[in-house]
Amino acid sequence: MAWNVLLTLELTLCGWAAWLFGRALGGRGWLAAAALTTTPLLQTELWNGVSEACWLAPIPLAGALAARRSKYTGVAIGLAWLATPYHGFGATGLGAAILLMGGVGDERPPWATRLKELALALVIGAALALPQSIMLKMSVDTDAPFVNRPLWDGFNEPSMRTNAVDPRSLFMPGDFWSRETIDTPLSSPWKHTPYLGLGVLALAVVGFVRSPRLWPLFVVAVSAAVACLGFFLWWDGAWVRGENGELLKLPFGFFADWTKLGLVHHLRFVGVAVAILAAVADRGLGRLGVIAVPFVIYEHLQLAPNCWPLPVSPAQLPAVYSALPDDGRAVIDLPADSGYGNRTNRFLFYQALHDRPVPWTNKVGSMGAASMNHALRTWVLLSKK
C-alpha cells in the first residue's frame, strides 16, 4: 500500500508541477502535465522500481517558480537535489537559466537583481541539500557504506554497459531501447529510454519559434540530452572506438574526469529536457494545447518505447518464511546476486513482512551486503548467474 501511495503521489505532483510550469511560460498547462506524466522516461523508472528517479516534480516546479521570480525557487532546487543529484543538476540549470533571463514576464530586471535572485536560490537549495549530502559522505567513508563510492575510475564496464545510452533512442519510436533488454528467470529486464517524444518535440519547436526569448531553455535541454548519453559513445549495442581502439569520449566523460564524480545513471539527466519540451510545447499551442493532449498520450503509451500497462507485483509473503521457527534469527535470502536487474530486491519487501534481520542494505547482493562476513559473501557470489 505504501509503495503504491508513494508512486501515485510522485505522479500527481509531477502533473501538478508540469501544469504550473506550462502556465508560467504562457500556456494552459494541460499539455505539459499530460506529456510529463506519461513520458516514457518516467514509465521506465516506474517499471524498474527506481522511486527516487520518479521524483521529477521538483524540476518543473523550479522552472515555474523561477519564471515568476519567486523567492522559493531555491526550495524546489533543494528538493530536486534531495531526490537525486541528476534531478538536482537539472533543476539548478533550469532555475538558473530562467532567473538569468529575468523571468518570463514583460519586466526585465537589471542584471544585479537577476544575480541576487539567482544567488538566493542557490543558497537556499544548498542549505536544503547539505545535511543529506553530509550524511551520504559520512556513509561513503565507512567500511560498509550505505551507497556505493561515487568516484569516477575511468571505465567500469559492467556499470557503464548497464546504463549505456544509444543517441538514437532520444528520437526513435517503437520498441527501441537505449541498450539491449536482458530478461531471464532470475533477472528483471531493465528498461531504459531517454525518448523525448516526436509530437512534443515538434510542438516545442513551435513554442521556441513563437517565443525566442526562451532560447536559454533550449540550451539547457540540449545540454541535458548530451549529458544523458554518458561518458563514451554507445551505438548499436557496442562502444564506438577510434582507430587505435580508444573509446570515443563524450562531453560528460570529460566532466567526470574533471570532477571525479561517478554519476553512472546519467540517463536521468534527460528529465529536465523532457520537462522543458513539455512546457514549451504547451506554450507553443496556447489555448489549443488541450487538443493535442490525447495525441501526445497515445504516442507515449502506444507508439513510443513504453512500459504500458505498468507491471504489478504480488504482495504475499512466500510460505517458506512462515515455516521458519519463531526465534527471531536472521534470514539470508539466496540467490542474491543474480545478474542483471533488481528482481532479488524483492527480499527487502519480504523483510518488511517477516521482520527478521537481513544482511542487506539498500540492495540485495554482494554490493548491498552490510556484513563483511567471508562466508556470507562467498555464498552470495556463488549464487551469481
Side-chain angles (χ1 to χ4, degrees):
M1 175 64 74
W3 178 255
N4 293 337
V5 170
L6 171 63
L7 298 185
T8 301
L9 178 63
E10 289 179 323
L11 283 171
T12 302
L13 292 177
C14 181
W16 170 73
W19 180 79
L20 288 178
F21 191 22
R23 293 180 67 84
L25 293 190
R28 297 294 177 173
W30 299 113
L31 176 58
L36 196 57
T37 52
T38 60
T39 177
L41 171 69
L42 187 55
Q43 289 182 53
T44 56
E45 300 298 1
L46 292 168
W47 170 280
N48 296 332
V50 185
S51 58
E52 71 269 20
C54 296
W55 282 114
L56 280 175
I59 297 178
L61 182 59
L65 292 173
R68 293 182 168 86
R69 296 173 54 205
S70 169
K71 60 183 178 182
Y72 298 110
T73 301
V75 174
I77 292 175
L79 291 175
W81 280 100
L82 290 176
T84 169
Y86 307 93
H87 295 350
F89 277 111
T92 302
L94 176 59
I98 297 178
L99 289 176
L100 289 177
M101 287 164 46
V104 296
D106 295 332
E107 179 187 358
R108 291 289 190 104
W111 275 102
T113 301
R114 302 183 201 185
L115 293 174
K116 288 179 182 178
E117 292 174 346
L118 174 58
L120 176 63
L122 295 179
V123 168
I124 293 175
L128 281 176
L130 189 60
Q132 177 177 276
S133 300
I134 293 175
M135 288 189 293
L136 291 176
K137 179 63 167 60
M138 292 172 62
S139 172
V140 167
D141 291 336
T142 63
D143 293 332
F146 180 74
V147 294
N148 297 327
R149 197 174 300 274
L151 296 180
W152 171 239
D153 58 4
F155 189 74
N156 185 327
E157 168 65 19
S159 177
M160 291 174 55
R161 178 175 288 272
T162 299
N163 295 284
V165 179
D166 190 316
R168 296 172 297 174
S169 58
L170 286 163
F171 312 103
M172 187 75 73
D175 191 29
F176 187 89
W177 301 94
S178 62
R179 56 170 293 278
E180 70 275 14
T181 299
I182 301 173
D183 190 8
T184 71
L186 291 177
S187 299
S188 59
W190 290 113
K191 290 191 175 182
H192 297 291
T193 180
Y195 184 70
L196 299 175
L198 296 182
V200 171
L201 191 59
L203 296 175
V205 170
V206 175
F208 282 119
V209 170
R210 289 188 58 187
S211 305
R213 183 180 174 183
L214 299 179
W215 70 266
L217 303 191
F218 175 79
V219 175
V220 175
V222 171
S223 300
V226 172
C228 89
L229 300 180
F231 311 99
F232 303 103
L233 181 60
W234 175 268
W235 187 273
D236 198 24
W239 301 112
V240 176
R241 299 179 180 271
E243 295 181 357
N244 299 321
E246 72 279 7
L247 293 168
L248 182 58
K249 186 175 291 188
L250 297 175
F252 187 67
F254 292 101
F255 175 81
D257 286 339
W258 175 54
T259 61
K260 301 302 179 184
L261 292 176
L263 298 173
V264 295
H265 301 294
H266 40 75
L267 183 144
R268 298 177 192 172
F269 283 125
V270 83
V272 67
V274 173
I276 289 173
L277 294 177
V280 175
D282 196 304
R283 168 68 180 88
L285 289 188
R287 67 182 61 186
L288 298 178
V290 67
I291 299 176
V293 166
F295 298 100
V296 168
I297 293 177
Y298 180 78
E299 182 200 353
H300 286 176
L301 300 185
Q302 296 297 324
L303 305 181
N306 66 83
C307 303
W308 189 261
L310 295 174
V312 295
S313 301
Q316 292 76 32
L317 183 68
V320 64
Y321 293 96
S322 301
L324 296 174
D326 188 16
D327 55 10
R329 300 179 71 178
V331 170
I332 299 175
D333 310 277
L334 298 176
D337 262 347
S338 58
Y340 297 93
N342 66 343
R343 185 160 291 164
T344 56
N345 278 355
R346 67 187 184 275
F347 298 146
L348 297 176
F349 171 69
Y350 293 163
Q351 195 277 335
L353 299 180
H354 63 65
D355 201 30
R356 289 171 174 266
V358 294
W360 321 120
T361 54
N362 65 325
K363 292 183 179 180
V364 174
S366 57
M367 291 179 59
S371 172
M372 295 291 113
N373 184 282
H374 179 71
L376 169 65
R377 290 184 170 266
T378 300
W379 289 339
V380 171
L381 292 172
L382 285 176
S383 69
K384 193 174 184 68
K385 301 294 182 181

